[in-house]
Amino acid sequence: MNQGRGKFITLEGVDGAGKSTHLAWLAERVRQRDIEVVVTREPGGTPLGEQLRTLVLGEPMHIETETLLMFAARREHLERVIYPSLAAGKWVISDRFTDATFAYQGGGREMDPRRIETLETWVQGEFQPDLTLVFDVPTDVAARRRGARDLEGESTSSGAPAQASRDRFEQQNRAFFERVRDGYLRRAAQFPQRMKILDANRPLADIQVILENIVSSI
Ligand code: Z5A
């Protein structure tokens, strides 16, 4: 754990697991304890990082280019947002961080994790989140939730089919998301102190009770 400075909390899971839903609620609960909170996301979190996000989610590219861009955005994010905020005593809650690269590029796209580890060491040294919450849900449940969300979006959009607005990751098949999920579970087994798996198939209220207990404990 970081001592004498803010805490760094990351939220992870397959698309549709519910991390974005819980992020705002979690940030509010921390603020109620008179702690200043910075909410951010990856890829993104800085003006350059957001531009890289648009590229990496939208443009076809080689897997190594994709991985390098994730870490390029991360380097900027660490330097401009995460490190200064933690040093100022703020808590940083990020929608995804490096575990996502191990799950998506390592698991989903089957890149050798040793190559990702090399970039991890280069970009962040020994730095790791204080706590990582992995929202775990069967991939068919996540797909149903994504479908329902796409339909909600469709009714307010210009009428373009939902499929057309899906990014490069959301367009992947079930086998891809199974590998991503396995990637997260393997990583959580490797770092049980830092990474907590939450059963995201439970009702929202149940998950909030668990989150509340976790926040109290740190
Ligand atoms: N990516 C990568 O490949 N490598 C990396 O290193 C990084 C990222 C950092 C963008 O991520 C993509 O970047 C991501 C991986 C890749 N692609 N994918 N797939 P993102 O986090 O910005 O995008 P996302 O994964 O698509 O997140 P999301 O759209 O925000 O989904 P979510 O946060 O998991 O789910 P949600 O929007 O909170 O919930 C989905 C729906 O389910 C919604 O209608 C909720 O109301 C509902 N929901 C949520 N929880 C429940 C429960 N418990 N019960 C019932 N209904 C629920």
Side-chain angles (χ1 to χ4, degrees):
M1 288 278 181
N2 299 318
Q3 296 295 327
R5 61 175 185 174
K7 302 285 183 208
F8 182 36
I9 302 177
T10 58
L11 275 58
E12 300 282 359
V14 295
D15 180 25
K19 64 193 166 42
S20 304
T21 303
H22 293 289
L23 192 141
W25 185 88
L26 180 64
E28 195 44 44
R29 298 302 290 167
V30 176
R31 285 193 187 105
Q32 284 170 5
R33 292 162 187 260
D34 289 330
I35 296 168
E36 214 174 323
V37 180
V38 175
V39 171
T40 187
R41 69 173 181 180
E42 289 207 354
T46 65
L48 178 59
E50 291 296 325
Q51 289 187 45
L52 292 173
R53 178 188 177 93
T54 304
L55 278 176
V56 86
L57 298 191
E59 297 292 328
M61 62 184 71
H62 191 274
I63 167 67
E64 291 180 4
T65 312
E66 179 179 291
T67 307
L68 287 165
L69 288 180
M70 292 294 180
F71 274 103
R74 184 161 300 137
R75 189 72 196 97
E76 200 68 9
H77 195 202
L78 283 163
E79 213 52 45
R80 301 199 186 279
V81 177
I82 299 173
Y83 291 156
S85 301
L86 294 176
K90 298 172 190 171
W91 284 29
V92 178
I93 306 182
S94 184
D95 194 336
R96 300 195 187 281
F97 190 61
T98 304
D99 296 306
T101 316
F102 283 96
Y104 279 83
Q105 281 66 50
R109 299 224 197 275
E110 301 178 279
M111 185 182 200
D112 184 342
R114 287 171 301 185
R115 307 198 71 190
I116 303 174
E117 278 164 10
T118 302
L119 291 172
E120 179 187 37
T121 304
W122 186 36
V123 165
Q124 64 194 75
E126 297 294 307
F127 179 79
Q128 292 293 340
D130 294 292
L131 172 70
T132 297
L133 302 168
V134 180
F135 291 83
D136 180 55
V137 79
T139 53
D140 56 332
V141 174
R144 272 202 299 281
R145 289 183 186 170
R146 288 199 300 275
R149 188 186 56 193
D150 288 346
L151 287 176
E152 284 165 25
E154 230 183 343
S155 63
T156 57
S157 76
S158 59
Q163 178 74 34
S165 63
R166 288 185 187 159
D167 67 40
R168 288 174 56 240
F169 295 96
E170 290 166 337
Q171 289 169 12
Q172 296 297 321
N173 61 22
R174 181 179 176 157
F176 174 88
F177 286 109
E178 290 286 356
R179 290 197 299 275
V180 171
R181 184 186 185 201
D182 285 352
Y184 275 125
L185 296 178
R186 270 202 310 275
R187 200 136 166 94
Q190 206 181 339
F191 302 104
Q193 292 284 92
R194 170 175 70 83
M195 298 181 73
K196 306 292 171 209
I197 299 172
L198 280 84
D199 178 1
N201 204 13
R202 299 172 70 163
L204 289 175
D206 288 9
I207 299 170
Q208 287 171 354
V209 170
I210 298 168
L211 288 176
E212 178 73 51
N213 288 336
I214 292 174
V215 172
S216 299
S217 72
I218 64 168

